[in-house]
């Protein structure tokens, strides 16, 4: 695992939290051990998850011919980007089972302890209650969309982020909760079995802020293994699902570029064009470096031209 955290002023926070658990705490508690993490493509492209807790507003997003409507039926707020850790964890376990050619189903079983350790969370008593609340929000958040994974026809469907969940047993002592079962919606199950998933960094679970997690997802989805990906700021703002004003979002992006320790991708902001560029940290080839220098040269020339026009 590669860490990109940089040392900065004591009053500032890095993008990534420090790892909460050492390697000795990792053990095979469940039947399927996760070796790599996967995220679902449509949820990386579109803002299925809220960026703050307690958000009950019905949200509608359109991107070309695709429409996504997100609403909370339970009155406890939409599932958040941090609740999505359960989605990613379950997707990753299912993908691991597929890769190992083990029997699969829409129901994923796991121990809370393994979930906490794997996703870099505290494993104290409070975490078990937070897990229950997250499961409630996931089952109470409904998605209506015309995104489809069937080659036969396009249709508009509605589904909960999870179909159901249950605690199979209770224990006294260190583990207050035994095994948990989560049943994924058929839509998500079909996406996973049709390989509509993408590998993400294990450092994702160390990202502190909700907006930074969402930005990483977008960068991973669009930049992928390419050298770089550029997007207009207002388009990026729309994709994140952020409710912040565009000018405040612009400030957030500028702050993120100063620290610049997002997993996998370097982030650059061009105030002249109001565009954001993500560059793949894992590509240090001569061609990639040449492309980077060429892009910097173009931006410098563009800046000079703009300065001349202002005179």
């Amino acid at each position: 695992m590669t860490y990109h955290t940089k040392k900065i002023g004591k009053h500032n926070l890095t993008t990534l939290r420090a790892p909460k658990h050492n390697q000795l705490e990792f053990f095979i508690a469940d039947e399927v051990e996760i070796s790599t993490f996967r995220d679902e493509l449509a949820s990386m492209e579109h803002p299925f998850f809220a960026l703050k807790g307690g958000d009950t507003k019905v949200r509608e997003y359109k991107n070309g011919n695709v429409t996504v409507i997100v609403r909370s039926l339970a009155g406890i707020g939409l599932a958040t980007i941090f609740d999505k850790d359960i989605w990613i964890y379950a997707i990753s376990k299912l993908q691991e089972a597929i890769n190992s050619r083990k029997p699969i189903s829409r129901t994923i079983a796991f121990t809370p302890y393994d979930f906490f350790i794997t996703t870099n969370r505290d494993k104290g008593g409070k975490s078990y209650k937070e897990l229950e609340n997250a499961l409630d929000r996931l089952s109470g958040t409904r998605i209506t969309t015309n995104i489809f994974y069937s080659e036969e026809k396009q249709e508009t469907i509605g589904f909960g982020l999870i179909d159901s969940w249950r605690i199979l047993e209770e224990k006294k002592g260190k583990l207050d909760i035994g095994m948990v079962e989560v049943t994924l919606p058929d839509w998500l199950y079909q996406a996973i079995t049709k390989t509509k998933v993408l590998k993400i960094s294990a450092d994702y679970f160390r990202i502190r802020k909700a907006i930074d997690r969402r930005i990483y997802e977008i960068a991973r989805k669009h930049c992928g293994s390419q050298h770089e990906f550029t997007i207009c700021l207002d388009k990026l703002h729309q994709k994140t699902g952020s409710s912040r004003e565009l000018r405040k979002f612009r400030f957030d992006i500028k702050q993120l570029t100063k620290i610049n320790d997002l997993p996998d991708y370097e982030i650059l902001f061009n105030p002249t064009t109001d565009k954001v560029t993500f560059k793949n940290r894992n590509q240090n080839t001569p061609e990639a470096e040449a492309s980077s220098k060429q892009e910097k040269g173009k931006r410098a020339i563009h800046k000079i031209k703009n300065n001349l026009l202002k005179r």
Side-chain angles (χ1 to χ4, degrees):
M1 186 183 298
T2 302
Y3 300 139
H4 298 294
T5 305
K6 298 177 182 178
K7 285 187 177 181
I8 56 175
K10 64 179 181 179
H11 297 297
N12 296 313
L13 292 176
T14 56
T15 305
L16 306 182
R17 297 182 187 277
K20 292 179 180 292
H21 312 288
N22 58 50
Q23 292 298 319
L24 295 177
E25 293 182 274
F26 286 83
F27 65 97
I28 303 175
D30 299 334
E31 185 177 350
V32 177
E33 182 185 16
I34 299 173
S35 60
T36 56
F37 296 96
R38 298 289 193 280
D39 201 350
E40 189 276 327
L41 290 172
S43 68
M44 297 174 78
E45 171 74 18
H46 308 284
F48 281 17
F49 295 84
L51 297 181
K52 58 184 179 181
D55 190 345
T56 59
K57 182 180 178 181
V58 176
R59 299 182 176 277
E60 182 173 353
Y61 305 95
K62 292 186 177 180
N63 185 12
N65 295 325
V66 172
T67 300
V68 177
I69 301 173
V70 188
R71 59 168 61 89
S72 172
L73 300 184
I76 58 174
L78 300 171
T80 71
I81 196 75
F82 294 103
D83 298 336
K84 191 182 182 181
D85 286 1
I86 299 173
W87 241 44
I88 294 173
Y89 178 84
I91 289 169
S92 301
K93 287 182 77 70
L94 182 55
Q95 185 64 56
E96 201 73 46
I98 292 172
N99 294 345
S100 302
R101 298 186 177 180
K102 293 183 178 181
I104 62 172
S105 75
R106 291 197 294 125
T107 300
I108 310 297
F110 61 91
T111 63
Y113 183 86
D114 187 74
F115 170 73
F116 298 148
I117 296 296
T118 302
T119 58
N120 199 46
R121 292 173 176 239
D122 292 328
K123 55 183 188 294
K126 183 181 177 181
S127 296
Y128 292 99
K129 184 58 180 177
E130 289 176 347
L131 175 59
E132 287 189 37
N133 292 339
L135 290 166
D136 269 340
R137 288 189 292 269
L138 287 166
S139 61
T141 299
R142 300 287 301 180
I143 305 293
T144 303
T145 183
N146 59 351
I147 299 171
F148 67 103
Y149 288 130
S150 169
E151 297 179 358
E152 300 173 1
K153 61 180 179 179
Q154 183 172 353
E155 56 188 1
T156 299
I157 60 172
F159 57 90
L161 289 175
I162 60 174
D163 271 6
S164 62
W165 64 273
R166 65 171 177 160
I167 299 168
L168 297 180
E169 58 180 291
E170 294 185 0
K171 294 181 179 181
K172 294 181 180 180
K174 187 176 181 180
L175 296 181
D176 296 325
I177 300 178
M179 294 295 291
V180 174
E181 278 189 356
V182 173
T183 300
L184 303 179
D186 184 65
W187 183 91
L188 177 58
Y189 183 75
Q190 293 298 325
I192 300 166
T193 56
K194 294 180 185 294
T195 64
K196 303 296 184 179
V197 293
L198 191 62
K199 182 180 176 181
I200 63 171
S201 171
D203 283 348
Y204 171 85
F205 300 110
R206 297 176 55 219
I207 300 177
R208 297 175 186 272
K209 295 181 180 179
I211 186 62
D212 292 348
R213 287 190 173 209
R214 184 72 189 111
I215 288 171
Y216 170 80
E217 284 189 323
I218 295 167
R220 183 71 187 95
K221 166 66 170 59
H222 290 280
C223 189
S225 59
Q226 301 177 90
H227 172 55
E228 65 183 44
F229 163 72
T230 300
I231 184 172
C232 294
L233 184 80
D234 58 348
K235 184 68 172 179
L236 179 63
H237 180 247
Q238 180 185 4
K239 280 183 174 291
T240 63
S242 173
S243 59
R244 284 172 68 79
E245 295 177 18
L246 185 61
R247 62 181 180 85
K248 292 182 178 180
F249 179 75
R250 184 180 290 107
F251 174 80
D252 293 339
I253 291 294
K254 289 179 179 179
Q255 292 301 109
L256 188 58
T257 62
K258 289 179 181 179
I259 301 172
N260 230 333
D261 57 355
L262 203 67
D264 295 334
Y265 301 100
E266 179 185 3
I267 179 171
L268 306 171
F269 176 65
N270 187 329
T272 304
T273 60
D274 214 27
K275 290 183 178 181
V276 178
T277 298
F278 298 99
K279 297 199 173 197
N280 196 325
R281 295 183 189 276
N282 303 317
Q283 288 192 352
N284 295 316
T285 63
E287 293 79 9
E289 292 179 0
S291 176
S292 177
K293 289 180 180 179
Q294 186 179 26
E295 180 62 27
K296 287 180 180 178
K298 287 180 180 178
R299 286 200 298 269
I301 292 171
H302 185 75
K303 187 175 181 179
I304 292 171
K305 287 181 177 179
N306 280 340
N307 290 336
L308 290 173
L309 290 173
K310 289 178 181 178
R311 291 179 180 179

